Amino acid sequence: MRRLAVIFLVGIVFLSITSQAGWNQIWDKEVGTVIVDYNLLDGNTRLFATDKATRDLYSYNAISQGWTRASGPAKSFVSSGEGLYRLSSDGRTTSRYITPDNWESIPGGSALSLIGGGNKLYATKGQNKDLYVFTGDSFRLIKDGRGSAFAAGGCEYSANPPEWYGFICKINGTRNNLGVWRYKSLSGNTPVWEKIGGPAELLYAGVQSIFATDPVTGCIFRYKSGNDWDQVGYDGKMWAIDIKTDMRSPSRSFEEKLYGLTPSGNEIYLWGGDPNPDDWTMIDTSNLDRAKPLRSIHAGGGQLYAVGKAGRLWKYSP
């Protein structure tokens, strides 16, 4: 991303940057965690954020532009692509969000951490940090699932190609198996772990895409097939995948966008989709100058958010 920023600044007259775009601050509290809870099947998007001071979770109402307390403090909150889940502060209970301050406990919910994506919920458990998947009535052990980082994606929906049904990727940190691995079904057989890449630092998963960053250069790559990856960007502070279901299509096709925040935290770029590290367009952040450098970016359901240097949450209106 660093080299990308230079290219755009030099050739800015050739870029098409939306002049009417703008950012609006939507919360006056300092946020901790931001969760864009996008439902892959019905296309609904819910925005949640924690108050950093109290660690309480709040839900945002876009119509009233107000916030409602949804939960007290917890160890973590994650979106699975079909719901919002909470791991209690003591790690003993996992619950599913129903309405503000109304959560339903799910069986076998003690965990070290939760991972969500691809309308599936995963958890790490026990001293060995084994990986489990929630089946609807219990958590089932995934053999050889230990890893240093995870990203869940895909979608178990008939219109999605079988190879992109719900899957989870991991970074395996053991000396003999260092690299990126994917757990998926192969032609309807029992799911297996498949090594798809070398060492990586960060993982991101969409419905039909997997991204990983190089641990040395920070450059971002998109998984192609086998063990092949295309470099699609330079180094960045962080990345965010925007997934949106095309509800106009009977087959409910999915649209994906990749956003990148430059290492300085001062610019946001949108990837054009070509396997080319220079195929990026700058997002107009001119009215975010007083909030820079940005701490983080978040996306989902066609929406883009940024957290400023003071921890205030901003929403992008293209």
Side-chain angles (χ1 to χ4, degrees):
M1 289 292 290
R2 189 174 295 128
R3 193 188 312 171
L4 179 65
V6 173
I7 291 171
F8 281 137
L9 288 173
V10 172
I12 196 166
V13 295
F14 301 107
L15 290 176
S16 174
I17 300 176
T18 307
S19 59
Q20 301 300 316
W23 292 83
N24 298 302
Q25 183 179 315
I26 59 174
W27 208 16
D28 58 1
K29 295 180 181 291
E30 181 179 6
V31 302
T33 302
V34 177
I35 308 105
V36 183
D37 178 36
Y38 180 66
N39 192 306
L40 295 169
L41 298 183
D42 65 22
N44 290 324
T45 305
R46 301 181 297 189
L47 176 66
F48 297 86
T50 60
D51 179 342
K52 189 172 183 180
T54 66
R55 297 176 54 230
D56 289 343
L57 181 75
Y58 288 79
S59 64
Y60 179 64
N61 186 314
I63 298 175
S64 67
Q65 299 184 355
W67 292 83
T68 302
R69 184 182 182 275
S71 170
K75 190 171 184 179
S76 65
F77 300 94
V78 302
S79 171
S80 69
E82 59 79 36
L84 180 72
Y85 292 86
R86 174 185 71 185
L87 179 61
S88 62
S89 297
D90 61 7
R92 294 181 179 179
T93 306
T94 299
S95 307
R96 190 177 191 276
Y97 176 78
I98 307 299
T99 57
D101 279 324
N102 181 13
W103 295 73
E104 180 183 22
S105 296
I106 63 176
S110 63
L112 299 173
S113 66
L114 299 179
I115 306 108
N119 51 333
K120 282 178 173 282
L121 178 68
Y122 303 84
T124 59
K125 296 171 174 279
Q127 293 183 345
N128 294 326
K129 300 180 180 179
D130 291 317
L131 182 66
Y132 288 73
V133 59
F134 184 58
T135 61
D137 53 14
S138 64
F139 280 89
R140 175 176 56 81
L141 175 67
I142 294 179
K143 186 179 179 182
D144 300 323
R146 286 180 292 232
S148 59
F150 301 91
C155 181
E156 289 202 18
Y157 180 64
S158 60
N160 205 25
E163 65 267 26
W164 291 107
Y165 279 1
F167 65 86
I168 187 167
C169 294
K170 68 173 182 176
I171 298 175
N172 194 324
T174 61
R175 181 172 298 179
N176 294 331
N177 293 309
L178 190 65
V180 177
W181 294 69
R182 177 170 63 165
Y183 185 75
K184 67 166 190 173
S185 298
L186 296 174
S187 301
N189 296 326
T190 302
V192 296
W193 285 105
E194 171 191 32
K195 188 174 183 180
I196 60 173
E201 181 178 10
L202 299 172
L203 282 177
Y204 299 87
V207 172
Q208 296 181 3
S209 60
I210 303 167
F211 297 91
T213 60
D214 186 285
V216 177
T217 66
C219 295
I220 189 165
F221 292 76
R222 182 182 182 182
Y223 177 63
K224 191 174 179 181
S225 63
N227 286 290
D228 296 330
W229 296 69
D230 289 322
Q231 183 182 346
V232 298
Y234 301 107
D235 57 330
K237 186 174 183 178
M238 72 169 295
W239 314 85
I241 300 178
D242 175 24
I243 302 172
K244 186 176 181 180
T245 307
D246 185 359
M247 302 302 293
R248 300 166 300 177
S249 169
S251 62
R252 293 185 187 174
S253 59
F254 299 100
E255 301 172 358
E256 292 184 356
K257 294 179 181 178
L258 176 67
Y259 293 94
L261 179 62
T262 55
S264 67
N266 290 328
E267 291 89 29
I268 300 172
Y269 286 89
L270 170 64
W271 180 46
D274 288 338
N276 179 345
D278 296 323
D279 185 27
W280 293 77
T281 300
M282 184 189 293
I283 298 296
D284 185 359
T285 59
S286 55
N287 67 328
L288 267 183
D289 286 346
R290 63 190 177 95
K292 296 176 181 177
L294 303 176
R295 290 184 183 179
S296 60
I297 56 174
H298 309 269
Q303 302 173 13
L304 176 63
Y305 301 90
V307 178
K309 62 182 179 183
R312 303 301 185 259
L313 182 59
W314 297 74
K315 181 179 180 180
Y316 179 60
S317 299

